[in-house]
Every structure is written in structure tokens, then in C-alpha cells.
Amino acid sequence: MNDAQHLRHVLVLPDRDAAEELAEQLTEHLGLREEPQLVRDALAGEDDAEDAQWLVVVEDPDAAYDPARLDGFAAEYEGWREAE
């Protein structure tokens, strides 16, 4: 495996529920080998736990997942894919 091809897709979602649902959907529809990682991303200057975005991190060691398709999945949950 060529490490230069290993990609990580980061999808940003407005809340935990959306992130959990998207992670489940991605696992089913893309046949992911491992479930995406969920990460809480507190917004700068915000102390309230409700003011946090959630990240769904999808490891893509073979560069097999279409970024445009991931954009579409994220958009269904009012989110987006961060370009790395």
C-alpha cells in the first residue's frame, strides 16, 4: 500500500445526532471496513456544549471514496466535507 494515497475525509455536521446518523449511513452505503470516527469540535470562543460541530472522520487508505459523493451525504445532514 502506498501511504501517499491514504486519504482522510472530514465531514462537518451541525450536531451529534446528525453525525451519528451520517456515520451509520456511510458505513452501510460505502461498505466501510471500519466505522467512521466521531469527534466533537467546539467552536472558537464557545463554552456551551450545544455550540459544537461534530466531525465524521472517514479513513480512505485506498483513495476509493468519491469526494463528490461524500459531499452529497454530508449535505443531506446540513453539513459539508472539509478539503484537506
Side-chain angles (χ1 to χ4, degrees):
M1 179 175 82
N2 181 352
D3 286 337
Q5 287 186 336
H6 183 98
L7 295 176
R8 175 177 291 136
H9 303 282
V10 178
L11 307 175
V12 182
L13 285 298
D15 58 52
R16 183 178 186 145
D17 289 341
E20 289 175 346
E21 288 179 31
L22 177 59
E24 186 176 308
Q25 184 180 17
L26 290 174
T27 300
E28 290 177 18
H29 289 283
L30 299 179
L32 300 179
R33 293 181 214 154
E34 52 185 77
E35 195 167 308
Q37 180 183 4
L38 300 180
V39 179
R40 181 181 177 273
D41 184 32
L43 300 175
E46 298 295 336
D47 295 327
D48 188 353
E50 296 299 315
D51 292 325
Q53 296 174 326
W54 282 79
L55 309 179
V56 177
V57 181
V58 179
E59 299 295 335
D60 190 3
D62 302 320
Y65 307 124
D66 178 10
R69 188 169 183 207
L70 292 171
D71 286 338
F73 280 118
E76 289 178 29
Y77 293 92
E78 298 180 15
W80 65 90
R81 182 181 57 86
E82 286 287 316
E84 286 201 359

